[in-house]
Amino acid sequence: MVSPSSFVEAFSQRFPQAPAPSLYRAPGRINLIGEHTDYNLGFVLPIALELACFTAVAPAAGGMLRVYSVNLGLTREIPVAELAGALPAKDWSDYVFGVAQQLVRAGYAGSACDLLVGSTVPTGGGLSSSAALEVSTALALLGGRGIGNLDLARLCQRAEREFVGMPCGIMDQYISIFGRQGAAVKIDCRSLEREYAVLPADVEIVAVNSMVKHELGSSAYRERVRECGEAVAVIQRHRPEAGSLRDVRRQELDEWKAEMDPVVFRRAAHVTSENERVEAFMEASRGGDLAGMGRLFVGSHRSLQHDYEVSCEELDFLVDTATGLPGVYGSRMTGGGFGGCTVNLVETGAVTAFEAGIAQAYRDRYGITPVFYQSRPAAGASQIG
Ligand code: ADP
Ligand code: MG
């Protein structure tokens, strides 16, 4: 769907009065490991994808900010003068107008323009189509006005937290901006420092889209955020300086187990052990230990499945099937959960058979054809035309 020239053509058809547009690209991501740790100010290890959201923009007359989504075939508009005080419409346009509002609040004056957005990132699939939309929109609306990359990431995160109403961490916006071709990015979600990591050769990252999305997703996410806060409150009775689960090792948690609600304890057990898995994964990757990396993938999945309880039957089936196939080092759910994608570490020569095996088993079990994304780490967001 999206080559720069076809995109510009689509823009001109949709907005025939508009001058030639500028074009921006912001990628989706796959998180390799470190799930549900970002809003606990811990560690994550995503890669930016070639899959991306593209936004074309040109100035318009008439005082409106107008946006057309190629994916949805829908237009939304809002008077620029009303942006600062706008309220969410509770639909997809909130990502766009939320960003526009944050820009105005940050001192970047709004102006009338037409936007056309189109994404190759599957929506709601755990590959962060939402951050790709936010970041590409923000760059388009900035139109070359300078902003620091970290400020841009934080601004887009605020749009999602405050306008869309999703209490997300910083990972998705950060990696969409700071992604680098050929490298995964370990992010410290508290200091916002990053470390680039090149994975061993001879391994492919394959995402498998379960093509299901259970409704529970966003309410469960909020509930997990709250439960993690409850765990921190207990920890602070003993360690007042602990600001988040980031500050606690998995083993230390046992000391306070008796004081915690059992569910809250399991949530905290996931987050603290997951942070340690990110560090261990980096270590294994540096040493070329593919088997070790794979075991950490599966450990992460089991923790998300049993302790954090954000997996679902279909994702568990995909992981269990994958780990029984030849040439598969490891498999886990990726993203928020309750559907969306798994991420798999597969030996280069085994990818074709892996995809065939998964497709067959998943179709036999659920009657659904999964979609595969062989993923190489791609560059972060930029203007492309
Ligand atoms: P994810 O980020 O994992 O894809 P989210 O639920 O966070 O899932 O975000 C998906 C939502 O983002 C969609 O339901 C839609 O509202 C919005 N969105 C993403 N890309 C587009 C697009 N190209 N056009 C319109 N809306 C989009
Ligand atoms: Mg999202």
Side-chain angles (χ1 to χ4, degrees):
M1 176 197 67
V2 185
S3 69
S5 59
S6 72
F7 208 73
V8 167
E9 200 177 309
F11 182 89
S12 304
Q13 272 170 17
R14 177 60 42 185
F15 304 113
Q17 320 293 353
S22 306
L23 188 55
Y24 297 84
R25 167 191 174 277
R29 59 102 188 96
I30 295 182
N31 189 23
L32 296 182
I33 196 160
E35 212 66 76
H36 287 276
T37 46
D38 65 342
Y39 55 82
N40 289 299
L41 306 186
F43 301 110
V44 294
L45 185 66
I47 63 170
L49 298 175
E50 269 150 38
L51 301 171
C53 186
F54 297 82
T55 298
V57 61
M64 302 297 275
L65 174 58
R66 192 173 297 117
V67 56
Y68 176 76
S69 164
V70 177
N71 301 80
L72 299 175
L74 293 173
T75 303
R76 292 281 182 273
E77 57 181 21
I78 185 172
V80 172
E82 291 174 18
L83 267 178
L87 295 173
K90 298 290 167 204
D91 69 15
W92 65 277
S93 67
D94 291 346
Y95 296 93
V96 176
F97 298 148
V99 163
Q101 179 173 78
Q102 288 297 334
L103 283 168
V104 170
R105 289 186 182 171
Y108 297 92
S111 60
C113 56
D114 294 323
L115 299 174
L116 181 124
V117 302
S119 196
T120 56
V121 189
T123 53
L127 303 186
S128 194
S129 69
S130 59
L133 176 59
E134 290 154 12
V135 173
S136 68
T137 299
L139 289 177
L141 292 175
L142 281 161
R145 287 179 287 179
I147 184 169
N149 278 338
L150 274 181
D151 287 337
L152 178 60
R154 285 199 199 92
L155 187 146
C156 291
Q157 182 197 19
R158 279 203 304 279
E160 188 153 341
R161 292 179 70 98
E162 292 174 19
F163 204 71
V164 177
M166 187 53 133
C168 63
I170 191 79
M171 168 170 63
D172 299 355
Q173 295 82 7
Y174 190 110
I175 186 65
S176 187
I177 293 164
F178 287 97
R180 177 181 286 186
Q181 197 174 353
V185 186
K186 181 191 167 209
I187 305 166
D188 178 332
C189 294
R190 182 167 61 194
S191 72
L192 300 183
E193 282 163 0
R194 65 193 164 280
E195 182 183 340
Y196 292 99
V198 177
L199 300 186
D202 303 328
V203 66
E204 298 290 326
I205 300 163
V206 186
V208 180
N209 194 337
S210 68
M211 306 304 280
V212 299
K213 179 82 198 159
H214 297 293
E215 272 314 308
L216 241 65
S218 60
S219 60
Y221 191 101
R222 280 173 242 280
E223 200 174 272
R224 297 300 178 276
V225 173
R226 192 181 48 70
E227 289 162 343
C228 290
E230 266 184 51
V232 173
V234 172
I235 294 163
Q236 280 176 338
R237 290 181 205 153
H238 308 273
R239 294 252 308 267
E241 74 286 359
S244 69
L245 288 174
R246 152 66 180 275
D247 294 313
V248 177
R249 308 288 297 175
R250 167 63 190 86
Q251 267 211 309
E252 293 176 287
L253 210 55
D254 291 335
E255 280 177 50
W256 310 305
K257 183 172 182 175
E259 292 173 58
M260 271 184 210
D261 174 280
V263 171
V264 168
F265 176 80
R266 282 191 284 118
R267 305 305 189 236
H270 166 70
V271 174
T272 50
S273 64
E274 185 76 353
N275 278 327
E276 291 170 15
R277 276 186 290 271
V278 176
E279 306 276 24
F281 188 90
M282 289 290 285
E283 184 78 34
S285 174
R286 274 192 288 269
D289 176 11
L290 285 160
M293 292 159 70
R295 279 194 298 276
L296 289 160
F297 258 41
V298 176
S300 168
H301 185 78
R302 297 303 171 213
S303 178
L304 289 157
Q305 177 182 4
H306 300 301
D307 283 344
Y308 218 61
E309 295 181 286
V310 290
S311 186
C312 64
E313 186 189 323
E314 294 87 347
L315 290 171
D316 295 340
F317 180 84
L318 285 173
V319 167
D320 293 341
T321 307
T323 50
L325 289 171
V328 177
Y329 295 109
S331 177
R332 55 178 291 274
M333 57 155 277
T334 186
F338 300 103
C341 290
T342 62
V343 57
N344 303 268
L345 288 177
V346 185
E347 199 182 298
T348 306
V351 171
T352 309
F354 166 77
E355 293 188 0
I358 291 283
Q360 177 78 50
Y362 198 62
R363 252 188 252 115
D364 287 352
R365 177 72 179 78
Y366 292 104
I368 300 172
T369 302
V371 175
F372 299 93
Y373 314 94
Q374 248 195 75
S375 309
R376 302 230 156 72
S382 67
Q383 181 168 5
I384 57 166

